[in-house]
Amino acid sequence: NNQFRVAEKRANNETEDFDTFRTVFESRVHSTGHILALLSPWHRPMYTTRIWCVFELWVACQSKDVKLEVILSEQAEAEFHQSLSADGVVSVWKALGRVQIQKAKASVPEDRSNIMRLVEPDVTTDEEYGASEKVN
């Protein structure tokens, strides 16, 4: 996977440009044909706080050939059912509304900037992303 390849390059004081990284990343998502997104806790999943994970979701959703499967831990599933029983589908929409790519983090700041530019090419600051209709 990309993380290990990048770590190996860093250990050798090498870097990989974003376009190459993106191409390899996207081709691997397409070649697997199946993405498992672990949402835990279900109402504020860690998965959606990492920009590469959000990008992975985006790549999967852009392709009819990639199956996206959302999975929950046993505890998260129990909490999900409890929320549905108490608040109905409103709780799900609230949770989905909290996913904001502009708040997602990356271990490499340049990766975050590059992914954000894919979403909104004309925006360069966090303030502008906050006002962008494409990311809100």
Side-chain angles (χ1 to χ4, degrees):
N1 100 15
N2 278 339
Q3 293 171 330
F4 297 115
R5 195 178 77 256
V6 170
E8 184 178 305
K9 285 188 177 250
R10 282 190 188 147
N12 294 325
N13 291 320
E14 299 173 5
T15 59
E16 184 162 68
D17 69 282
F18 178 78
D19 289 331
T20 300
F21 193 95
R22 175 188 175 191
T23 300
V24 172
F25 186 91
E26 288 178 341
S27 70
R28 292 214 172 132
V29 169
H30 290 283
S31 70
T32 63
H34 190 193
I35 296 299
L36 291 175
L38 173 63
L39 303 186
S40 184
W42 84 269
H43 59 287
R44 289 190 192 272
M46 296 277 300
Y47 182 84
T48 60
T49 66
R50 300 174 61 209
I51 202 155
W52 278 105
C53 293
V54 177
F55 183 65
E56 177 181 63
L57 283 173
W58 180 80
V59 170
C61 290
Q62 297 300 307
S63 174
K64 63 181 178 178
D65 298 329
V66 178
K67 178 182 177 183
L68 173 61
E69 186 174 352
V70 174
I71 58 175
L72 303 170
S73 66
E74 285 183 32
Q75 180 179 348
E77 185 174 355
E79 292 169 356
F80 176 76
H81 287 291
Q82 185 178 29
S83 290
L84 277 179
S85 294
D87 301 322
V89 76
V90 170
S91 59
V92 176
W93 289 120
K94 283 182 183 176
L96 292 174
R98 289 186 198 107
V99 177
Q100 295 180 311
I101 192 170
Q102 71 271 29
K103 292 184 179 178
K105 306 290 183 213
S107 58
V108 178
E110 294 82 23
D111 286 351
R112 183 180 183 282
S113 297
N114 285 320
I115 290 173
M116 292 304 294
R117 271 196 293 282
L118 293 174
V119 174
E120 180 66 275
D122 299 326
V123 173
T124 58
T125 67
D126 285 341
E127 293 77 27
E128 290 174 321
Y129 287 121
S132 170
E133 289 185 20
K134 289 184 180 179
V135 297
N136 289 307

